[in-house]
Amino acid sequence: MASDPFQLFDEWFAEAQASEPSDPNAMALATADADGRPSVRIVLMKAHGPDGFVFYTNQRSRKGEELAHNPHAALLFHWKSLRRQVRIEGSVSLVSCEEADAYFASRSRDSQLGAWASNQSWSLASRAEFEKRYGEMKAKFEGNDVPRPPHWGGFRVAPETIEFWTDRPHRLHERRLFKRIDGGWSEGLLYP
Ligand SMILES: Cc1cc2nc3c(=O)[nH]c(=O)nc-3n(C[C@H](O)[C@H](O)[C@H](O)COP(=O)(O)O)c2cc1C
């Protein structure tokens, strides 16, 4: 009988929150373009559970464009303080507008204005240009709530596989691989 990978993830994440010096929710997100060429960057996990792992971003960014053409991703947590990694692979979908609105509303006003001001991943002529755009957005929304930009939202990676890697002496590491099967998970080991 396989263990529940989400319960195991919760246990590891709680330990990482207690021991990591910063951003225990930081994860590498790998995407690929329509030709299969990969790219990777760090994003913050803002929700997780049996439905998947959620991060927020600009949908017109490089990662957003790549996910629009190829809605599959890999995630990687590396918790150095614990000498552990978790690898997740799965298909990607947008979170609901309600979920994205609720998260956007919880962000600081400055972050909300930044989401409007930043054409994330696009070429920027100078820092001054960005600061000018930020100032324009600040003036535009003065005295009002800042709504979520239509191009800013959340993506959920629904895992098909989750691997838990634990450092062991002499590089005899432990790898537990969970694979989604009808209505549940299979569990097996991999050579390190
Ligand atoms: C610790 C850390 C957390 C980050 N969190 C996010 C995030 O949650 N969302 C995001 O869009 N970018 C985040 N970034 C910036 C991304 O790494 C990246 O620079 C940006 O999203 C543009 O990536 P792209 O051009 O591949 O789309 C974070 C960077 C770091 C170092």
Side-chain angles (χ1 to χ4, degrees), residues 101 104-105 109 112-113 115-116 141 144-150 152:
D101 285 342
F104 189 78
R109 189 175 179 86
Q112 293 173 337
L113 293 169
W116 279 100
F141 294 110
N144 293 305
D145 287 344
V146 182
R148 178 173 60 88
W152 190 97

Side-chain angles (χ1 to χ4, degrees), residues 45-107:
M45 176 185 72
K46 289 295 176 180
H48 72 283
D51 291 347
F53 297 80
V54 175
F55 63 91
Y56 287 88
T57 195
N58 185 316
Q59 289 164 232
R60 295 190 202 137
S61 65
R62 179 176 177 187
K63 73 181 93 50
E65 293 291 338
E66 291 187 356
L67 288 171
H69 290 99
N70 179 2
H72 299 274
L75 302 172
L76 172 70
F77 293 88
H78 179 205
W79 294 308
K80 290 188 181 185
S81 62
L82 300 174
R83 295 178 177 277
R84 286 174 176 167
Q85 69 174 337
V86 178
R87 297 170 64 172
I88 296 160
E89 291 166 25
S91 55
V92 179
S93 58
L94 278 171
V95 307
S96 70
C97 291
E98 293 74 26
E99 194 174 343
D101 285 342
Y103 174 65
F104 189 78
S106 76
R107 286 162 61 102

